[in-house]
Amino acid sequence: MKRKLVILFSLIYVLFMGCLAVFYYVSNESFKTMVSIGGFVCGLIPLLLAFFTKLKFNLPIIMSYLVFLFCSQYLGSIVGWYGLGWWDTFLHLISGAILAFAGIALYERLIHRSAGEYISAWFVFLFTFSFAALGGVIWEIYEFSSDQLFGMTLQGGGNKDTMIDLIADTLGGLLIGAWAGWRTKIKRSK
């Protein structure tokens, strides 16, 4: 059932962004066309994973990913909400939390169930928090590289923008990492 829902919601997003790409191409709006094509490609990722791997999906993470894509690509870039000033910071806070949840899912896949009772709550916190922070750093490297290599303006505010984004990513990861550590500590005490 989860696999079918992932396919359904991913298809809806891919079709939405594909239609937007055609519409903006015909309207001769190159920036919005490129964002729509990027959304189309990003929306394909869960579909490709569903069709070509045997991974079991964490539905909340996939749904969070698709909602995040909609918020960043459609609302942020196409509708223009990045111009609000706070939207980018808000999305970085949310992306830090989503990455932390992805870190929890990865941790749970990598650690054998019987080992869970011996793992420190601090380790769970550090792994989750570090995973989210690293994701934020990699994204900022992508923004910097795109600006330098392709003349884009992803780092609209330069160093200040980068640091605010990293702080927001870190705070999102910190909140979920603290929750994951606390949850682990509670489970171990039972």
Side-chain angles (χ1 to χ4, degrees):
M1 181 64 174
K2 288 181 184 181
R3 182 181 170 97
K4 289 179 183 177
L5 287 174
V6 166
I7 291 169
L8 174 68
F9 288 119
S10 296
L11 272 175
I12 290 169
Y13 188 76
V14 164
L15 290 173
F16 174 69
M17 293 308 275
C19 290
L20 283 179
V22 171
F23 173 77
Y24 288 124
Y25 179 76
V26 170
S27 301
N28 204 25
E29 294 189 53
S30 59
F31 174 76
K32 291 180 179 181
T33 301
M34 293 307 294
V35 171
S36 300
I37 290 170
F40 180 86
V41 171
C42 290
L44 283 176
I45 293 171
L47 284 174
L48 294 173
L49 291 173
F51 288 127
F52 297 111
T53 69
K54 294 181 181 183
L55 293 175
K56 292 182 181 176
F57 291 101
N58 185 323
L59 188 60
I61 290 177
I62 298 295
M63 292 305 299
S64 299
Y65 171 73
L66 292 172
V67 169
F68 180 79
L69 289 180
F70 178 80
C71 290
S72 64
Q73 294 170 329
Y74 180 70
L75 294 177
S77 294
I78 293 173
V79 175
W81 285 15
Y82 280 127
L84 297 173
W86 57 269
W87 187 249
D88 182 53
T89 304
F90 173 72
L91 287 182
H92 274 279
L93 180 75
I94 298 302
S95 71
I98 291 170
L99 284 166
F101 279 120
I104 292 168
L106 179 65
Y107 161 81
E108 289 175 349
R109 285 189 187 264
L110 293 175
I111 300 299
H112 193 274
R113 293 251 184 243
S114 64
E117 64 188 63
Y118 302 107
I119 300 213
S120 163
W122 281 105
F123 176 80
V124 173
F125 162 74
L126 284 173
F127 182 84
T128 305
F129 173 65
S130 299
F131 190 86
L134 177 63
V137 168
I138 290 171
W139 181 257
E140 291 304 317
I141 290 170
Y142 159 75
E143 284 188 357
F144 174 78
S145 300
S146 295
D147 288 355
Q148 296 300 309
L149 298 173
F150 305 113
M152 298 175 81
T153 56
L154 297 176
Q155 294 178 298
N159 187 48
K160 182 177 180 183
D161 175 70
T162 299
M163 292 313 298
I164 290 171
D165 291 351
L166 287 173
I167 290 167
D169 285 322
T170 302
L171 285 174
L174 180 65
L175 290 171
I176 303 306
W179 171 80
W182 176 75
R183 183 184 75 158
T184 301
K185 187 174 183 177
I186 297 297
K187 281 183 179 180
R188 287 188 62 199
S189 67
K190 288 183 179 181

